[in-house]
Structure formats: C-alpha cells, structure tokens
Amino acid sequence: MKLISAVLLGLASMSCVTAKAATASPLLVIHGGAGVERKDFSAEEERAARAALTEALRRGHAELMAGKPALDAVTAAITVLEDDPSFNAGRGAVFTHDGKNELDSSLMDGATLRAGAVAGVHTIRNPILLARAVMEHSPHVMMVGEGAEMFAAEQKIPQVDPAYFRTDKRWQQLQRALKEEAAGQAHADLETAKHFGTVGAVALDRDGKLAAGTSTGGMTNKRYGRVGDSPIIGAGTYADARCAVSGTGWGEYYIRLSVAHEICARMQYLGETPAQAGEDVVVKRIPELGGDGGAIVLSADGRAAMPFNTEGMYRGWIGADGVPHVAIFADEALSAPRE
C-alpha cells in the first residue's frame, strides 16, 4: 500500500511539473558585453546599440510567441547582435595582433544538455549558427579553425570574405593597442582593453525549457590562437533544466571559475536565486581574483538577473507582453523579471 501511495505521489508530482512547464511564460534575456564606459560613448553609438538590443529582443520574442523552442529564440537574438557592428561579435569583432578577426561561439540546450561550439573561425558570418550545426549535425561539441569552416561549408552555413568583419572603429582600437604595447603602456581606456565584449542570450520557452548562447570576437590584440570563455561550455555558456547563463568579461577568469556552471550549481545545490548566485560569482569572486565582467542568468521559474561589475553592460529582457526593456549603464534602473 505504501509503495502504491509513493508511486501515486510521484506521478502526481510529475503531473504538477508537466502542468507547470506547459504554462511557462516565455522570457528572453540578452547582453551585448560588459565594460561600457560613458565617457567614450557617443550619442549616436548609444542610439545604435539600444536599437540593436531592442531588435534582438523582438526577434527572439517572435520565436517564443510562435511556440518555438528556447534554442530558436537564443539563436535569433544572437544573430541580430552578430550582424550589428555595435558589438564585439560577428561584424563588429575586434582584431587580433595580426590584424585578423577571429570568432568564437557556443550554444547549449538545457532540456537535453546538448551543446555545440566553434572557436577561431574567420569566415563564418554568424558563428552561433555554426555552433548550432555542430550540436545538431555532428557527434562533437567543439570544432576549431579550418576544420570548423570545412564543416560549415558541408552544412551550407553562410560564409563571407573576412573583409566583411572589418570596421574602422575596431581597426583603430587595434592600432592604439599596438602603440601602447610597443611603448610598454597600459591600455588607456576600456574600449581598447583586451578582454571586453561579447554577446549572449538566455531564453525560457512555453514548455518551460531553457537555452543559452554566447558569441564573441575575442580580445583586441590577442595572439597565439588564444581562446576565451565564450565557446567553452561551463565557462561562458551553460544551460540545464533549472538554469541558463551567458557570460561576458575577462575570459581567463571565467574559465578558471567555470563561471556559467558555477552559477547554476549554486542555484541547484544551495537554493540560491539567479540574483544571489550571480552576485556571488560575478560581483564578488571574479573581482577577488582580479577579473571583471558580467552575466545574464535565467531560471526555469522565470526569475532573471543581470549582474556585472563594470560601469556598464549592454543588456535587456522581454516577456510575454512583448515590451522590450533595455539598459546600458549601471545607474539605469532596469529591474529584472521576478528579481
């Protein structure tokens, strides 16, 4: 009798979870990178960035409201940000020491723990699409360099001439960084600092399933095939049934702390909220080691947080009502949903 009762209780619990998942309210949270400084930010650049963030939210929201999975919303939002030169990803990617644009990206499906990632590619217009192809059409999680581009050609992922990624703003940043390096000087501003800039998205769909994705152009003036946290599952991107995270910041520290997974682990094992876990890892632990940056965090029950420890972070969210909420600087009031 006790066994039957336990089984019935378990079935009832599963039914409750299923019912809850079936009535989940769609939610999308995005970022366009931490490390924004107001003093070096023109009114025109600010307008362009806010417009791009808003468009990314609307594009991802349309996927969610059409009943599409969280993966589709994340991919759609990041594609918009990769196509906009305001951000260090895709067309706005920074330059390496050798004057090239080198792109990294990753994507993870929280419901299945499937993941895909690419690093060090030079011709992929939207690296997030290639990361998804790696996840869905190969037995692997990560591909790099020429091999990843060969796979892209096989999968008919759009490729472009490397000149497509060049913007004068990023080129001038490299020139300043090279001069500072030659003179043995520290970087004069965050715009030329090597470790800032990334785009990302996390989403919750109508079925209560989560996904996360991240894309970046890496570090200004980087050498030796350096790869940061953005394409590394558990460091820059992570999603499971309870939590989804995308990070932005000094990649070496995000890798050392396994930041994305650490936030989700704190939520699972310590019962912390997205705000609590994000605060502990991003605002406390990363700076303690000497790093900086930010993250976006989303839970399966629709709570979100956007912690960062710099003057600004491009960020925004949109819920079922379709109203985009966007902010850039730390002093802007932007309450996260159910924070």
Side-chain angles (χ1 to χ4, degrees):
M1 195 68 176
K2 289 182 179 180
L3 179 59
I4 294 174
S5 297
V7 172
L8 290 175
L9 182 60
L11 290 174
S13 177
M14 290 175 61
S15 297
C16 289
V17 171
T18 302
K20 182 179 178 181
T23 58
S25 181
L27 183 62
L28 172 68
V29 186
I30 65 173
H31 73 77
V36 189
E37 278 201 324
R38 184 176 267 114
K39 68 181 180 66
D40 294 321
F41 207 49
S42 71
E44 182 179 351
E45 288 175 324
E46 182 175 343
R47 283 194 297 271
R50 291 183 189 275
L53 290 169
T54 299
E55 176 61 20
L57 288 170
R58 286 177 172 155
R59 195 79 63 85
H61 175 262
E63 297 294 308
L64 292 175
M65 297 314 290
K68 300 289 186 64
L71 278 173
D72 287 357
V74 167
T75 304
I78 291 178
T79 298
V80 172
L81 300 177
E82 287 176 335
D83 287 343
D84 194 289
S86 299
F87 311 101
N88 177 17
R91 188 160 178 258
V94 299
F95 285 89
T96 67
H97 181 79
D98 297 325
K100 298 178 180 179
N101 303 109
E102 209 163 77
L103 314 173
D104 309 326
S105 188
S106 63
L107 183 71
M108 189 165 188
D109 178 15
T112 64
L113 298 185
R114 292 185 307 159
V118 295
V121 296
H122 301 275
T123 66
I124 309 303
R125 173 170 176 163
N126 295 108
I128 193 67
L129 298 182
L130 181 53
R132 184 162 184 175
V134 171
M135 180 185 75
E136 295 181 334
H137 303 297
S138 86
H140 309 303
V141 170
M142 179 181 284
M143 295 185 186
V144 302
E146 292 181 4
E149 294 182 345
M150 288 174 58
F151 179 73
E154 292 176 1
Q155 296 298 315
K156 297 182 171 50
I157 301 296
Q159 293 182 258
V160 294
D161 186 288
Y164 165 82
F165 301 107
R166 181 190 175 104
T167 62
D168 186 64
K169 176 182 177 180
R170 300 304 189 193
W171 182 252
Q172 294 307 319
Q173 287 175 357
L174 173 63
Q175 303 316 303
R176 291 197 297 273
L178 290 172
K179 288 179 182 179
E180 290 166 349
E181 181 181 70
Q185 299 173 342
H187 290 293
D189 59 78
L190 287 176
E191 279 292 324
T192 56
K194 292 189 271 187
H195 53 268
F196 282 112
T198 297
V199 305
V202 292
L204 173 68
D205 61 31
R206 285 179 171 173
D207 292 327
K209 296 177 180 178
L210 294 161
T214 311
S215 185
T216 188
M219 297 168 67
T220 299
N221 196 30
K222 71 175 182 177
R223 303 193 195 192
Y224 315 118
R226 177 264 184 187
V227 176
D229 65 299
S230 296
I232 297 178
I233 300 303
T237 301
Y238 189 76
D240 58 24
R242 300 175 181 85
C243 166
V245 178
S246 173
T248 165
W250 199 330
E252 278 67 18
Y253 294 92
Y254 281 62
I255 294 170
R256 292 170 189 170
L257 287 173
S258 300
V259 164
H261 183 270
E262 179 71 7
I263 290 172
C264 288
R266 294 186 70 89
M267 291 171 60
Q268 179 177 354
Y269 300 120
L270 300 180
E272 293 185 345
T273 66
Q276 290 170 331
E279 174 80 12
D280 182 85
V281 178
V282 174
V283 181
K284 294 180 182 177
R285 295 188 64 194
I286 289 176
E288 285 174 356
L289 290 181
D292 39 25
I296 51 176
V297 188
L298 180 59
S299 66
D301 61 2
R303 289 179 293 177
M306 296 167 276
F308 58 98
N309 54 49
T310 62
E311 185 177 331
M313 180 175 82
Y314 300 107
R315 61 199 187 278
W317 65 275
I318 189 168
D321 63 2
V323 178
H325 303 266
V326 170
I328 297 176
F329 303 107
D331 57 9
E332 291 184 69
L334 180 65
S335 296
R338 297 185 59 195
E339 193 172 25

